Amino acid sequence: MTEELDPFKIAQQELDTAAEVMGLDKTAHGLLREPKRTVIVNIPVRMHDGSVKLFNGFRVLYNDARGPGKGGIRFHPSENLDTVKALSAWMTWKTALADIPMGGAKGGVICNPKEMDDYELENLSRGYVRALGNVIGPKTDVPAPDVYTNPQIMAWMMDEYSKIAGHEEFGVITGKPVEVGGSEGRFDSTAMGGMYVLRETAKLAKMDLKKAKIAIQGFGNAGKFAFDIATRLSGATVVAVSDSEGGVYSEKGLDYAKLSDVKGKKGSVSEYEAKGAEKVSNEELLELDVDVIIPAALENQITDANADKIKAKIVLELANGPVTPEADEILSEKGIIDMPDFLVNSGGVIVSYFEWVQNMYGYYWTQEEVYGKLDTIVTRSFKDVMASQKKYKSTGKKISPRTAAYIVAVDRVAKAMKLRGWY
Ligand code: GLU
């Protein structure tokens, strides 16, 4: 990994930019540049052939001044501590911007879930929880799904934690199936929140979404549902989509049901066939002549190497960290509205928070209630970001939506630390 693309350095750089603009107290800045706690574990896992394999895992609690740590767990072959640290920092800003009473955390295990069967995945999930012990808990640090983890994995983890605790502890983890304490609306909440942000951004850009063409990079927890919701709710046309194997483009638009079927049967959306449809690479997809691009896969997808080639008017960052700070600047010079990840994809953690509240109360809400409350919070966050941008503009400082969002979030965390006497 080059120094420039180390996600944690990027996260620190983004914070530094905001700290300077807002005149953040130096001690608070120093505290916010590093995680509070980093845990590294080696997890012995019984594999299908009877052998025992050791997996390396992490859990980083970045900041819990505003409440228990919150953030997903990724199972990925190229997972590493610096990425997890960056993601835990971004979770801190995400929960603060949404103004939910939680902090930021993240976890990861270096593994390739595509090469593991359910038996091995279950053993790894339970092993991860056993290895972490009291590092996680409903009042300390509450994990959730992320890249290549899902509700079933959350259910195993909750079960293991409950066994160790000696009582049911649904609130230890969110993103669970609804049958075991999950919340209605959680599975597509990241995409749903992103669509609320798109609705507000389109108003700002005076874009009619019914006529808009969208390209989505990624067809996982976020990208897949973004496709479905974007077409159903906003009437936009999704013309391109991809996954780790590659993508497909059709000027006329793609069929969601058919794509899901192809993905399920052939393993990749790039196998989609239709008249007028052609294959595109993940790089080409981002450079298509469309109105909106939605990076919904991994970090560092739009960098100073390709930012100049982006033609869309809106970049909606549904993934975590898809745009580097250099690219952010290039996009803003080109007049492209780049909506930052920790606003766009905050729907996931907001509904995770709802799930945790419901688990604590033992009283559950309908999907309509969940979506309604989600819309209220996401729209409020969007307005907070716009107000912050406007405030600095009036003093002659032109800042990007990302820096504006950082300022709102950092200010909230710094205030909480101050009130608690941390500095
Ligand atoms: N993994 C999601 C994120 O990056 C959700 C985290 C959560 O629900 O705690 O925001």
Side-chain angles (χ1 to χ4, degrees):
M1 195 186 311
T2 61
E3 171 110 333
E4 187 200 359
L5 293 184
D6 171 348
F8 188 54
K9 292 248 159 51
I10 290 176
Q12 287 182 319
Q13 195 182 329
E14 291 168 348
L15 170 68
D16 296 347
T17 305
E20 200 187 316
V21 178
M22 68 195 284
L24 181 66
D25 176 275
K26 284 214 159 32
T27 314
H29 186 186
L31 290 176
L32 292 174
R33 281 190 106 247
E34 295 293 336
K36 179 170 170 177
R37 179 175 71 194
T38 298
V39 177
I40 302 175
V41 289
N42 285 313
I43 313 152
V45 175
R46 174 81 60 196
M47 304 302 280
H48 211 111
D49 62 5
S51 66
V52 172
K53 203 171 151 187
L54 210 53
F55 288 87
N56 197 219
F58 318 100
R59 184 74 190 169
V60 179
L61 175 70
Y62 199 82
N63 187 290
D64 57 358
R66 302 180 72 261
K70 190 81 196 80
I73 299 166
R74 312 201 314 173
F75 282 0
H76 199 273
S78 49
E79 194 58 280
N80 63 78
L81 187 55
D82 280 326
T83 308
V84 178
K85 275 162 70 176
L87 289 159
S88 70
W90 290 327
M91 285 309 305
T92 307
W93 315 134
K94 203 181 295 189
T95 52
L97 180 64
D99 211 4
I100 56 176
M102 307 198 98
K106 203 82 180 195
V109 177
I110 306 171
C111 66
N112 189 351
K114 288 184 182 170
E115 286 170 4
M116 297 167 76
D117 61 19
D118 273 359
Y119 173 79
E120 294 169 344
L121 280 175
E122 178 172 353
N123 288 348
L124 175 64
S125 305
R126 291 183 186 277
Y128 181 71
V129 170
R130 281 197 301 276
L132 286 179
N134 279 336
V135 164
I136 60 166
K139 292 186 178 155
T140 46
D141 179 355
V142 186
D146 203 281
V147 172
Y148 295 156
T149 54
N150 56 35
Q152 173 62 77
I153 290 176
M154 299 305 113
W156 288 325
M157 289 185 172
M158 177 278 288
D159 186 70
E160 192 65 21
Y161 187 90
S162 297
K163 271 188 194 159
I164 299 168
H167 58 263
E168 298 315 320
E169 201 61 273
F170 283 176
V172 66
I173 218 157
T174 59
K176 303 178 295 291
V178 281
E179 292 82 356
V180 282
S183 174
E184 292 293 344
R186 174 63 183 87
F187 72 103
D188 61 358
S189 55
T190 305
M192 190 58 99
M195 289 309 118
Y196 295 142
V197 176
L198 179 59
R199 180 191 66 204
E200 297 303 313
T201 314
K203 280 187 215 161
L204 193 77
K206 300 196 171 43
M207 179 188 288
D208 180 0
L209 282 176
K210 285 194 193 69
K211 293 188 192 136
K213 287 187 175 160
I214 302 183
I216 304 175
Q217 187 196 50
F219 203 66
N221 288 343
K224 181 173 192 281
F225 297 117
F227 187 138
D228 185 32
I229 298 168
T231 38
R232 272 194 298 115
L233 292 195
S234 70
T237 308
V238 178
V239 292
V241 69
S242 65
D243 54 33
S244 59
E245 314 278 307
V248 58
Y249 167 73
S250 168
E251 211 193 328
K252 288 203 312 264
L254 301 165
D255 184 84
Y256 176 72
K258 194 171 156 187
L259 261 175
S260 306
D261 194 49
V262 169
K263 173 85 181 166
K265 286 194 180 126
K266 300 195 174 165
S268 171
V269 291
S270 60
E271 299 296 325
Y272 180 98
E273 279 170 10
K275 199 162 165 261
E278 53 187 285
K279 283 193 198 298
V280 281
S281 68
N282 266 296
E283 294 76 37
E284 287 162 347
L285 178 137
L286 296 171
E287 296 165 17
L288 288 170
D289 191 6
V290 293
D291 301 291
V292 181
I293 51 171
I294 307 184
L298 292 173
E299 56 280 355
N300 295 334
Q301 298 303 302
I302 304 178
T303 67
D304 52 0
N306 61 353
D308 213 26
K309 301 188 195 123
I310 306 294
K311 298 185 191 72
K313 291 172 206 72
I314 296 174
V315 177
L316 196 75
E317 299 182 18
L318 205 55
N320 285 311
V323 178
T324 64
E326 292 76 18
D328 196 14
E329 247 173 63
I330 300 172
L331 295 177
S332 120
E333 273 160 26
K334 282 170 60 118
I336 295 172
I337 307 179
D338 174 21
M339 279 297 158
D341 49 3
F342 65 101
L343 168 64
V344 175
N345 69 30
S346 61
V349 74
I350 294 168
V351 178
S352 269
Y353 160 61
F354 295 163
E355 180 174 333
W356 178 81
V357 170
Q358 292 170 81
N359 290 156
M360 296 312 214
Y361 265 83
Y363 178 68
Y364 289 81
W365 311 342
T366 63
Q367 195 178 68
E368 287 65 38
E369 283 175 275
V370 168
Y371 288 156
K373 289 181 208 287
L374 175 64
D375 194 356
T376 305
I377 294 186
V378 172
T379 307
R380 182 184 68 201
S381 307
F382 179 90
K383 291 192 171 140
D384 286 347
V385 173
M386 290 303 125
S388 161
Q389 202 180 22
K390 211 167 149 192
K391 179 179 144 198
Y392 284 91
K393 203 173 170 192
S394 68
T395 65
K397 286 181 188 163
K398 194 169 172 283
I399 56 171
S400 65
R402 183 184 324 278
T403 301
Y406 257 94
I407 291 173
V408 175
V410 169
D411 184 54
R412 286 181 184 152
V413 182
K415 275 194 181 125
M417 293 199 305
K418 181 82 186 160
L419 286 165
R420 294 181 69 151
W422 292 7
Y423 74 96

